[in-house]
Amino acid sequence: MAYKGLDSTWFPVVLGTLSVSLAFFIIYLVFHNVLIFNIGKIIYFIVLIFFAFVFASWIYRYIKNKKLIKEDYNDMTKLSFLAFLGIFYYAFAFFYVAYVGVNAFVAYLFYYLLFLFYILVLVINIILNYNLYTNKYSFDRITYAILVPNVVMSANIILTSIMLTPPMSGYYNTTILRTVYFMVMVAFGISFFQFLFVGISAYISHISNKPNYLQTVPAAMIPVGASSMLIINIMFMPQFNYIGIFNVPLNLAIDISVILWGFDLFLFLVSGAIAITHIKKRQSMTVWAYVFPVGVSTFADYMIYDYTKLEIFVYSIIVFTAALIILYVYSWINTYFITGRPVKK
């Protein structure tokens, strides 16, 4: 059989693998274990190769069959997953600084590419919501996958956090710093209200679509990533007060973040219970939605711990990391059954 390429549902597989690198990096920040740091670094470079293969296969798929472009445009999930290209850039750039380093050329390259991917994700978000508001998607097909561009909008903080803080901020003038911070605030506003309104619609759609719930139930973990990304944004904002354009009090940021963390933990426990009770059932590629939101949660937990020093967040980082690895292995096993052993009709 001729190779047909891969569609955008494989992007979460790459992101899930990258989330493992992120979790090891967070563990390193907490316990200062160089071995853990090096493991995360190795995984990062493996992910770069993996991403190159998936991305090339995705392009090849369209070259092989151009009709698939229109089909994927009309598929809410596949169109949503295109936004993962944005978070790949933010995360790859973040880890490049952490694992390799930065200079003036790299700093300005990151800055200009930030605009490119920021606009890309925004356009995908606008198209999805246009299709949603003009009833191009039937209500029973709406899932939490539509929140992916929403999560990625606020995920720019993964990169902008290091752009706006020393030493990388030393490469930029005040105008650039203010522009980047403005972009952070705008993306946060879009993500927050979309999370409320679109997220509620996806929730109602899911519980109303009982016959096919197994195919979309892993996406119940996506709100964990959304709320965690909001926490990360809020916790970084007080660090940017020195720019002199917005002023977010540190105590207020901590208070709101802990409140959101409670909701984040609740969503994680619900989704974890769903994963455990359905572990023997074959699911779709959306099973990877179990993975990357948990990786984002380790980041959010560390941000709160870094300020509060409450031990509960150390334990939650350990628990989230263990859950991430378990869900990662489970997702690969499930993927093997989907791609390697297709269901007999």
Side-chain angles (χ1 to χ4, degrees):
M1 183 181 294
Y3 182 66
K4 297 181 180 180
L6 302 174
D7 60 27
S8 59
T9 59
W10 275 85
F11 288 158
V13 184
V14 181
L15 187 58
T17 309
L18 187 61
S19 298
V20 177
S21 178
L22 174 62
F24 276 95
F25 182 73
I26 297 300
I27 291 291
Y28 159 74
L29 293 178
V30 175
F31 298 104
H32 306 289
N33 187 302
V34 178
L35 176 61
I36 295 296
F37 176 82
N38 289 330
I39 293 174
K41 185 176 181 179
I42 292 170
I43 295 173
Y44 167 69
F45 287 107
I46 292 174
V47 173
L48 287 179
I49 298 171
F50 185 27
F51 170 74
F53 169 74
V54 172
F55 184 76
S57 297
W58 174 66
I59 296 295
Y60 174 79
R61 177 173 174 268
Y62 289 134
I63 295 174
K64 192 76 173 177
N65 188 350
K66 293 180 176 60
K67 293 181 180 179
L68 293 174
I69 297 176
K70 185 176 181 180
E71 288 183 16
D72 288 356
Y73 171 81
N74 293 322
D75 188 309
M76 182 190 65
T77 298
K78 291 179 180 178
L79 181 58
S80 296
F81 284 179
L82 287 185
F84 279 126
L85 292 173
I87 203 169
F88 286 146
Y89 166 66
Y90 302 142
F92 286 155
F94 172 86
F95 281 118
Y96 183 90
V97 175
Y99 293 143
V100 180
V102 67
N103 55 38
F105 173 78
V106 172
Y108 275 90
L109 178 63
F110 285 173
Y111 172 64
Y112 292 116
L113 288 177
L114 172 67
F115 279 95
L116 173 65
F117 285 95
Y118 189 96
I119 293 172
L120 171 66
V121 176
L122 180 60
V123 168
I124 293 173
N125 220 333
I126 290 172
I127 293 173
L128 275 169
N129 280 269
Y130 173 82
N131 290 343
L132 184 65
Y133 294 144
T134 53
N135 292 324
K136 286 186 171 58
Y137 303 132
S138 59
F139 182 72
D140 61 342
R141 298 295 301 275
I142 298 174
T143 69
Y144 278 125
I146 201 171
L147 284 178
V148 168
N150 160 253
V151 175
V152 179
M153 277 298 300
S154 57
N156 72 83
I157 194 66
I158 295 174
L159 174 57
T160 54
S161 63
I162 58 173
M163 292 176 66
L164 297 176
T165 51
M168 194 170 173
S169 60
Y171 293 105
Y172 306 121
N173 59 38
T174 303
T175 301
I176 291 177
L177 294 175
R178 288 190 165 203
T179 301
V180 172
Y181 194 10
F182 174 77
M183 293 168 65
V184 169
M185 296 294 277
V186 170
F188 177 82
I190 294 172
S191 295
F192 177 76
F193 287 104
Q194 270 200 307
F195 183 36
L196 290 180
F197 298 121
V198 180
I200 291 173
S201 299
Y203 173 75
I204 296 174
S205 173
H206 175 76
I207 63 178
S208 303
N209 188 23
K210 295 180 180 180
N212 299 317
Y213 83 96
L214 190 61
Q215 298 301 310
T216 59
V217 71
M221 190 72 85
I222 292 179
V224 174
S227 59
S228 294
M229 202 62 77
L230 294 179
I231 292 173
I232 295 170
N233 274 262
I234 293 170
M235 289 304 299
F236 268 119
M237 286 176 183
Q239 297 186 32
F240 308 150
N241 288 341
Y242 77 94
I243 296 174
I245 184 172
F246 305 115
N247 191 348
V248 179
L250 176 59
N251 289 339
L252 178 62
I254 294 174
D255 293 344
I256 296 175
S257 295
V258 172
I259 292 171
L260 284 175
W261 181 83
F263 180 58
D264 192 52
L265 178 62
F266 170 77
L267 291 174
F268 171 75
L269 293 174
V270 172
S271 297
I274 293 171
I276 292 172
T277 54
H278 292 79
I279 197 168
K280 293 183 179 179
K281 297 181 180 179
R282 191 183 308 184
Q283 301 177 42
S284 67
M285 288 294 286
T286 56
V287 71
W288 285 95
Y290 280 136
V291 183
F292 63 86
V294 182
V296 178
S297 293
T298 62
F299 198 165
D301 286 7
Y302 174 75
M303 289 300 301
I304 302 177
Y305 169 73
D306 192 40
Y307 280 102
T308 65
K309 302 303 180 184
L310 290 173
E311 292 295 321
I312 186 172
F313 293 107
V314 175
Y315 298 133
S316 65
I317 288 171
I318 295 173
V319 170
F320 275 119
T321 301
L324 172 67
I325 294 172
I326 293 171
L327 289 169
Y328 180 75
V329 173
Y330 166 64
S331 297
W332 267 121
I333 293 173
N334 195 82
T335 302
Y336 166 74
F337 281 110
I338 294 172
T339 59
R341 297 173 58 182
V343 180
K344 292 182 180 179
K345 294 184 180 180

